[in-house]
Amino acid sequence: IGGSIRDDARNQRRKTMPNGCRIYKTTNTILPVGTQIPIIFDAERWDDANYHDPSFPTRITIPVAGRYHAFASIGFYCSVYALSQSFMRLNGTTALAQDKREIDPGISVWTFSTIWTFNVNDYIELIAWHNSAYQVMVFSAPPYSPELGVERIV
C-alpha cells in the first residue's frame, strides 16, 4: 500500500506549483571581443509558468520564491586558442556559477549549475565572453548549446 498522507500532499503540491523552465537558442552567436554578452534565447523546451518572457529574451524570471536548481550549457567554437568565460548572472549583477578557461581551437562545451534561493522576480541570464583577437562563436547545437534552465526544488 503506497505512501503516506504526507507524501500524497507533497506530491499534489509539486503538481500544482510552477516547476521550471528550460530555454535554448536556435542560431549561432558571434561574440565581440572583450564584451560580456547575454545570450538571446528564442525557443523553449518547457516553461511551466511563463518564466521566459519573449519581451525579455535573455532572461528566466522567477515567478515563485524558493530554492531552485539553475543550470546552463554552452558551446564555443574558435579557430585559435582563446580565454573564454561563461556564467549565470543574477539580476544583471551577480555571477552565480561560472566557468572560465583557455579553450583550444575547435569546439568546447561547458555545463555548470548551482542551487540558489531566489526571490519573486529575480532573473538569471547566461553570459558569454572571450578575449581572442579572432572570431569566437557560441554555436547552436540543440539539445546542449546554448541552454539555460531552472527547476524548483523547495
Side-chain angles (χ1 to χ4, degrees):
I1 303 189
S4 69
I5 292 172
R6 182 186 309 163
D7 288 339
D8 291 341
R10 184 179 301 134
N11 288 336
Q12 184 60 37
R13 189 175 70 243
R14 285 184 180 146
K15 288 178 187 174
T16 59
M17 71 177 165
N19 290 326
C21 172
R22 183 169 177 171
I23 56 179
Y24 64 103
K25 183 165 177 63
T26 60
T27 59
N28 298 331
T29 302
I30 304 300
L31 299 177
V33 176
T35 303
Q36 294 179 351
I37 299 297
I39 301 299
I40 296 172
F41 294 96
D42 58 7
E44 300 170 350
R45 300 225 176 275
W46 71 85
D47 188 351
D48 295 331
N50 297 317
Y51 286 80
H52 182 239
D53 179 349
S55 61
F56 297 101
T58 64
R59 300 178 179 184
I60 289 178
T61 302
I62 304 300
V64 175
R67 191 168 306 135
Y68 287 78
H69 174 229
F71 52 92
S73 179
I74 190 166
F76 291 96
Y77 173 80
C78 64
S79 59
V80 297
Y81 291 98
L83 180 63
S84 294
Q85 179 181 29
S86 184
F87 59 95
M88 284 184 277
R89 184 169 66 187
L90 173 65
N91 298 332
T93 58
T94 305
L96 294 184
Q98 65 181 324
D99 198 340
K100 182 177 184 178
R101 59 178 107 164
E102 192 166 297
I103 55 177
D104 294 330
I107 294 173
S108 286
V109 178
W110 309 346
T111 59
F112 46 93
S113 67
T114 190
I115 305 293
W116 194 262
T117 302
F118 291 100
N119 296 312
V120 173
N121 293 324
D122 278 350
Y123 67 91
I124 60 170
E125 299 171 293
L126 180 60
I127 307 299
W129 168 91
H130 79 95
N131 73 344
S132 173
Y134 297 91
Q135 178 174 296
V136 173
M137 175 177 65
V138 173
F139 67 89
S140 173
Y144 62 87
S145 176
E147 303 248 344
L148 179 64
V150 293
E151 196 69 25
R152 186 163 186 226
I153 53 178
V154 178

